[in-house]
Structure formats: structure tokens, C-alpha cells
């Protein structure tokens, strides 16, 4: 996990074992960053589970109450599918992948 400006980059497995660490880092970033938007970069995440994605959804709701946004970047197809199946896609904002010409 690396924080660079208003971006929190995650790597490896994002599951129940890492939720406390990610939650702490994300809320710290939301409280200290001057940016109106925080990006969680999931490009290097190999796998994720619903409990981990729920942490991002709850953080997104909390940020929204403060007039801020949490946006997910680099979601693998499996993560997007899990967001849809769990209906968390209704709560989180997912950055659209760039389409190559």
C-alpha cells in the first residue's frame, strides 16, 4: 500500500485480512488531504473479496457526507463483477478504463 498525494495504491490480495490497514490509511488520507477527491488505485490488486470492497463503499459514503469523493481506479474485470454482484457499484464510483484507438 502506497500513498501518493490524494491516491492510495493497493497491491496484492485485498481481503478481510487487509481491511483494517486499508481503512485506516483511507480515512487518514480523507482527513489530511486537501483534495476533494481521493483515488484508490486497484491496478496491482490480484484479488478482492466483498468485505474488503465494503470498506471502500463505506468510506465513499462517509466522504460524500463531507462533500468529497472516493473513486476507484484500475478495477480488474473480476473486481468489477464482484462490485456488480454485491450491488456495491451503486455506492462507489469506478473510473472508466481508457479505450485505446
Amino acid at each position: 500500500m502506497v500513498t501518493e498525494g490524494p491516491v492510495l495504491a493497493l497491491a496484492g490480495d485485498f481481503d478481510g485480512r487487509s481491511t483494517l490497514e486499508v481503512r485506516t490509511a483511507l480515512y487518514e488520507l480523507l482527513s489530511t488531504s486537501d483534495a476533494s477527491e481521493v483515488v484508490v488505485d486497484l491496478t496491482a490488486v490480484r484479488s478482492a473479496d466483498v468485505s474488503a470492497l465494503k470498506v471502500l463503499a463505506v468510506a465513499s459514503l462517509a466522504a460524500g457526507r463531507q462533500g468529497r469523493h472516493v473513486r476507484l481506479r484500475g478495477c480488474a474485470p473480476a473486481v468489477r463483477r464482484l462490485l456488480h454482484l454485491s450491488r456495491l457499484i451503486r455506492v462507489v464510483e469506478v473510473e472508466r478504463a481508457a479505450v485505446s484507438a
Side-chain angles (χ1 to χ4, degrees):
M1 180 171 27
V2 178
T3 305
E4 187 174 313
V7 178
L8 177 64
L10 306 181
D13 298 326
F14 184 34
D15 55 22
R17 294 171 296 200
S18 58
T19 55
L20 180 61
E21 184 181 0
V22 170
R23 181 183 315 130
T24 302
L26 184 53
Y27 280 95
E28 183 176 321
L29 187 58
L30 283 167
S31 68
T32 59
S33 174
D34 292 334
S36 63
E37 180 175 78
V38 170
V39 175
V40 179
D41 190 341
L42 302 172
T43 304
V45 170
R46 289 188 306 255
S47 67
D49 67 17
V50 173
S51 64
L53 295 177
K54 203 178 267 191
V55 167
L56 300 179
V58 170
S60 183
L61 290 171
R65 288 191 291 271
Q66 299 171 1
R68 304 175 82 194
H69 294 37
V70 172
R71 183 168 37 98
L72 306 183
R73 173 183 293 159
C75 291
V79 173
R80 284 180 182 267
R81 192 168 30 259
L82 193 53
L83 285 168
H84 283 282
L85 289 172
S86 64
R87 299 180 194 251
L88 292 173
I89 195 72
R90 297 176 179 179
V91 180
V92 297
E93 180 180 338
V94 178
E95 188 175 84
R96 291 182 181 263
V99 178
S100 59

